[in-house]
C-alpha cells in the first residue's frame, strides 16, 4: 500500500468549508533532469536553486458535497479568469491520482491561481504551480479531516505528489538548494520518488542572484514531455545519465566549498550539454536563438575582463539565466543594463534570487 494514502470517511470531516493559500516558487536546475522512466521517475539526479520572486500563489477553497461521489468537482481560475484548459489538466491529474486524496469523494474544490511572472517568460511555471497545488491538496486533507500530519510528513507527501504532476516541481517544495533522484552520496537524501533539500551549502551560494534574460517570450518549440521522450532512443542516452550522476558529486563538493569559479565552469558546461542533447536527438531541435548566443558571448567577455564570477545556465529554451553572488551585484547590474538589456525582448530582464521555498497563508 502506498504510504502516502490516508483512509477516512465523510464522518471524519472536521471542517465542512475552509480556505487556505500557498505561494510556491519556481527553480532553476544546475544539473538538469532530462529523460525519465516508469511513472514520472528521473533517469538522473538533478540539483537546483530554489527561486524567490518567480512564484505561483494558489488560493484554495473547499466545501462539503451534499452526497459523496466519485465526480471531481473543481473550478479553476487563473489571473482572475476562468481557465478551462488549466482546469482540465488539473482535473485529469486528480483523476489519475485520486487514490492519494480520498477527500475528493467528499469535497468540492475551487482554486484561484496567479503568477508573479509572465506565463511565457521562460520560467518553469509548472514547477511553481504544481508544487503549490501539491502543498494545497495535502494541507486541505490534513486540516479538513484533522489527520494530524506533522509538517515534515506533509512536505514529504507534497514533494511526492508534485513529482507526479511535474518532475521539477518536486524540488520547488524545498528552500535554497534541492535535489531529486537516486545518487551515491550519503549527504544528498533524495530518491527517484522524492526530492530533498541539499544541506551543507556554503553561504556564498545562498546569496546567489538569478537575472533571467528574456530573449524570446514565445511558446517553447518542444514541450518538456516531448523533450524527455527524445532521450528514450538517444544515441548518448546512457553516457548522459552516467555523466550527469557523476557531476552531482562534483557540484555538491563545489557547493560545500564556496568555489564560485568551478561553479561557473560546471554549470555552463552542463547547460550547453543539455542543448547539445537536443541538437543530437531525432528529431533535432535548436532552441537557442541568435541573441541567446550573443548574451553568452557578452557574459564570457565580461567575466574575462572583470575577473568576476558570473555565469549562465539555460533551461530547454532560448532564455538565459545569469547567476552571480550578491557581493558582485552592483557591478553585474551595470553590465546587464549596458550590455545585456538591448539583447532582451522588449528589454525584459527578470531579477530573482535564491529563496526560502514555499509559504502558507491563512
Amino acid at each position: 500500500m502506498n504510504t502516502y494514502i490516508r483512509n477516512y470517511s465523510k464522518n471524519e470531516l472536521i471542517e465542512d468549508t475552509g480556505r487556505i493559500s500557498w505561494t510556491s516558487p519556481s527553480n532553476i536546475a544546475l544539473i538538469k533532469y532530462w529523460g525519465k522512466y516508469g511513472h514520472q521517475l528521473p533517469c538522473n539526479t538533478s540539483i537546483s536553486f530554489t527561486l524567490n520572486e518567480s512564484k505561483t500563489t494558489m488560493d484554495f477553497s473547499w466545501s462539503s458535497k451534499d452526497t459523496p461521489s466519485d465526480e471531481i468537482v473543481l473550478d479553476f481560475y487563473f489571473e482572475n479568469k476562468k481557465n478551462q484548459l488549466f482546469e482540465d489538466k488539473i482535473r485529469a491529474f486528480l483523476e489519475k491520482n485520486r487514490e492519494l486524496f480520498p477527500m475528493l469523494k467528499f469535497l468540492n474544490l475551487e482554486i484561484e491561481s496567479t503568477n508573479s511572472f509572465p506565463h511565457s517568460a521562460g520560467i518553469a511555471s509548472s514547477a511553481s504551480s504544481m508544487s503549490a497545488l501539491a502543498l494545497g491538496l495535502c494541507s486541505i486533507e490534513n486540516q479538513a479531516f484533522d489527520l494530524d500530519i506533522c509538517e515534515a510528513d506533509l512536505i514529504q507527501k507534497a514533494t511526492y505528489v508534485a513529482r507526479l504532476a511535474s518532475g521539477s516541481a518536486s524540488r520547488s517544495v524545498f528552500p535554497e538548494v534541492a535535489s531529486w533522484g537516486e545518487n551515491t552520496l550519503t549527504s544528498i537524501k533524495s530518491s527517484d520518488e522524492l526530492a530533498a533539500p541539499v544541506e551543507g551549502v556554503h553561504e556564498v551560494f545562498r546569496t546567489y542572484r538569478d537575472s533571467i534574460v528574456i530573449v524570446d517570450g514565445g511558446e517553447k518549440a518542444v514541450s518538456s514531455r516531448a523533450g524527455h521522450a527524445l532521450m528514450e532512443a538517444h544515441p548518448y542516452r546512457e553516457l548522459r545519465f552516467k555523466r550527469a550522476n557523476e557531476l552531482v558529486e562534483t557540484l555538491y563538493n563545489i557547493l560545500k566549498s564556496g568555489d564560485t569559479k568551478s561553479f561557473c565552469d560546471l554549470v555552463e558546461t552542463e547547460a550547453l550539454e543539455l542543448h547539445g542533447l537536443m541538437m543530437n536527438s531525432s528529431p533535432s531541435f535548436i532552441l537557442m536563438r541568435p541573441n541567446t548566443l550573443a548574451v553568452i558571448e557578452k557574459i564570457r567577455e565580461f567575466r574575462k575582463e572583470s575577473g568576476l564570477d558570473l555565469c549562465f545556465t539555460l533551461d530547454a529554451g532560448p532564455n538565459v539565466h545569469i547567476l552571480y553572488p550578491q557581493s558582485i551585484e552592483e557591478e553585474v547590474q551595470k553590465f546587464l543594463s549596458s550590455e545585456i538589456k538591448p539583447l532582451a525582448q522588449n528589454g525584459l530582464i527578470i531579477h530573482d534570487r535564491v529563496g526560502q521555498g514555499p509559504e502558507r497563508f491563512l
Side-chain angles (χ1 to χ4, degrees), residues 164-202:
L164 294 174
S166 169
S168 60
S170 64
R171 300 188 305 257
S172 280
V173 170
F174 300 101
E176 295 184 339
V177 185
S179 66
W180 172 40
E182 293 286 352
N183 62 87
T184 58
L185 296 176
T186 57
S187 303
I188 295 183
K189 308 297 184 183
S190 64
S191 67
D192 284 356
E193 291 192 335
L194 302 171
V198 176
E199 299 176 349
V201 174
H202 192 281

Side-chain angles (χ1 to χ4, degrees), residues 219-232:
E219 292 295 322
K220 292 192 296 185
V222 57
S223 68
S224 295
R225 183 183 299 275
H228 289 296
L230 292 174
M231 289 303 294
E232 293 177 8

Side-chain angles (χ1 to χ4, degrees), residues 282-301:
S282 180
S284 173
F285 290 93
I286 300 176
L287 301 186
M288 290 185 281
R289 299 290 178 261
N291 276 8
T292 306
L293 298 174
V295 169
I296 289 172
E297 289 301 317
K298 289 285 187 183
I299 291 168
R300 289 178 164 175
E301 289 171 11

Side-chain angles (χ1 to χ4, degrees), residues 48-76:
S48 59
F49 277 153
T50 299
L51 298 178
N52 191 74
E53 307 301 330
S54 303
K55 55 195 176 184
T56 296
T57 298
M58 280 194 180
D59 296 316
F60 300 82
S61 301
W62 74 89
S63 61
S64 176
K65 290 180 178 178
D66 293 334
T67 304
S69 70
D70 289 333
E71 179 188 7
I72 292 177
V73 181
L74 169 68
D75 286 313
F76 184 86

